[in-house]
Amino acid sequence: RGRAHVHEHFLALAFAQETRDTKQEGWTRLHLFRMAIGQSTHGDGTASWDQLRRVVTRAADPHLTVALHETAAIAEGQKGNIRGAHKHVTTGRSVLEAYPSDWLAQALEVAEGCLSIVEFDLESAETHFREAKRLGTVTGSETYLAATRVNTAHIALFRGQVRTASVLLEAAPIETPPSVELAALEGLARVQLALNSDSVQVAINRVREHRLSSSSSYSIRWAGLTQCKLLHRQGRHDELFRTLDAEESAARQLGDDPLLAALLLVRAEAAAATDDLPSAGRVLLAAAELGIAANPELQGHFHLSVGRVLELAHAPASEVFRARALRLWRHRRNVLALIEAESFGQPA
């Protein structure tokens, strides 16, 4: 169905060009670009983005312009350029002030909510998703309502509201985009992992099945991290290192530095656990060079991994790093990380 969908869009693009319908060409190119950034952080590359932008400028349609900026916000967010993503959302909002659209306003609220989660500003994220839900009663968009529900569940998960998160994730409607469904399944797997539940492998297997059938590489990129964490907990290090090789390669191809850094933390801990402390140190340094220590969601995990590696090296400083991780999580009210650390044998 994915290939057929792309083929239909290319037919529509050809027809729009033949009839010189610039507005339709702009919408079609926009949808093609959105499908492309589902495969990587940069879609088809700079050339296709520049071409899309030129067509949208020629079309001079305000709603198409807003959709362009919302898409740009997604693309910039995926690359880790959060400030640039916020600028695109702000520009989109300014256009909507003169040319209102509840549907586009809802899209921007969802985008802003996701950016707030990346910045770990959960209060702000909740505000945006509440507004997106309110707008959903007007637009009836199941896609954005499902995305709102799943992201609200992830906020609950971060706060340790496991039952609430589970109910919201399980309630994700059947007819949702694959990326939203995968996010729900991956969230359930994280719940089970944090609780050290015997059901975690079942949840991960569900994610695996959907990964094999999904055409979107980028939207499911974090699913493998949960599998790697489980293998590490189970001490299945030979399988873990093979899995890490594949997942790290995919993260590099996608240009996803935060994911790559998170995977490197698992590799460092596993290397230390298998008595390869020099490798563990080099891997931690590589994660630090990717900026993980400044990432609001991952910096606590970085300090905990450093502490765990130092502990295995019998270094007294290990407690300093572990305590720093716990302080960061408590300050940000990341209860999920505290639960996960505790279930792995760390005090929280």
Side-chain angles (χ1 to χ4, degrees):
R1 175 57 188 164
R3 290 182 179 178
H5 197 47
V6 172
H7 180 65
E8 290 169 2
H9 276 74
F10 274 112
L11 289 176
L13 177 60
F15 181 76
Q17 290 174 322
E18 184 179 340
T19 58
R20 298 185 179 180
D21 187 339
T22 309
K23 179 179 175 181
Q24 184 58 47
E25 181 183 352
W27 280 111
T28 306
R29 285 189 181 278
L30 184 68
H31 285 298
L32 284 168
F33 188 83
R34 290 181 74 103
M35 282 187 271
I37 61 175
Q39 298 296 327
S40 69
T41 59
H42 42 68
D44 288 332
T46 305
S48 68
W49 169 253
D50 290 342
Q51 191 173 27
L52 168 62
R53 189 172 54 183
R54 285 195 297 269
V55 172
V56 171
T57 301
R58 287 203 312 270
D61 179 83
H63 288 166
L64 177 57
T65 300
V66 175
L68 177 74
H69 283 288
E70 186 254 347
T71 299
I74 294 171
E76 292 298 329
Q78 289 182 175
K79 290 187 291 186
N81 182 11
I82 307 304
R83 179 177 298 179
H86 279 302
K87 286 183 178 179
H88 281 291
V89 172
T90 300
T91 302
R93 288 187 191 281
S94 67
V95 177
L96 284 183
E97 289 178 4
Y99 303 93
S101 165
D102 288 332
W103 174 63
L104 288 168
Q106 184 183 19
L108 290 176
E109 291 292 347
V110 171
E112 195 79 88
C114 291
L115 292 172
S116 295
I117 289 179
V118 172
E119 295 174 310
F120 221 83
D121 185 350
L122 301 185
E123 288 76 14
S124 176
E126 282 185 316
T127 299
H128 290 298
F129 288 124
R130 275 198 301 270
E131 179 61 12
K133 184 178 180 180
R134 185 192 69 78
L135 289 166
T137 62
V138 178
T139 68
S141 171
E142 279 297 324
T143 297
Y144 289 125
L145 284 173
T148 297
R149 184 182 295 112
V150 170
N151 279 290
T152 300
H154 279 96
I155 293 171
L157 189 56
F158 281 127
R159 288 182 165 161
Q161 300 163 353
V162 176
R163 184 180 295 277
T164 299
S166 298
V167 170
L168 287 169
L169 293 169
E170 289 285 6
I174 297 174
E175 295 299 325
T176 59
S179 59
V180 176
E181 189 173 7
L182 254 296
L185 291 175
E186 199 271 338
L188 287 170
R190 291 183 69 180
V191 169
Q192 302 300 334
L193 181 71
L195 297 177
N196 214 11
S197 168
D198 293 336
S199 303
V200 61
Q201 189 62 62
V202 175
I204 289 175
N205 288 341
R206 290 174 66 188
V207 175
R208 274 179 166 177
E209 291 172 7
H210 282 263
R211 291 184 81 184
L212 292 173
S213 62
S214 174
S215 61
S216 174
S217 301
Y218 197 86
S219 62
I220 59 176
R221 64 203 184 284
W222 286 82
L225 178 63
T226 305
Q227 174 71 56
C228 290
K229 286 183 176 181
L230 176 63
L231 291 172
H232 179 39
R233 287 190 178 204
Q234 295 173 333
R236 294 157 58 184
H237 291 116
D238 288 341
E239 184 179 351
L240 169 61
F241 287 126
R242 290 194 300 270
T243 304
L244 281 169
D245 287 341
E247 296 293 341
E248 289 170 16
S249 176
R252 289 188 177 94
Q253 290 177 2
L254 292 169
D256 193 334
D257 286 348
L259 172 57
L260 178 57
L263 290 164
L264 289 176
L265 295 186
V266 181
R267 181 180 289 276
E269 290 188 28
T274 53
D275 299 321
D276 189 356
L277 290 170
S279 291
R282 287 193 295 270
V283 172
L284 285 174
L285 180 60
E289 290 174 345
L290 290 170
I292 192 171
N295 183 298
E297 182 180 350
L298 298 175
Q299 59 185 179
H301 295 280
F302 172 71
H303 289 297
L304 182 62
S305 291
V306 172
R308 285 173 172 169
V309 170
L310 289 175
E311 181 183 21
L312 291 169
H314 306 293
S318 65
E319 197 57 44
V320 174
F321 284 94
R322 288 167 51 183
R324 184 176 299 169
L326 300 182
R327 283 199 305 272
L328 283 167
W329 288 329
R330 287 176 179 136
H331 174 70
R332 297 186 182 279
R333 292 194 292 170
N334 188 347
V335 182
L336 173 66
L338 292 167
I339 293 173
E340 187 177 328
E342 185 177 43
S343 69
F344 194 67
Q346 296 294 326

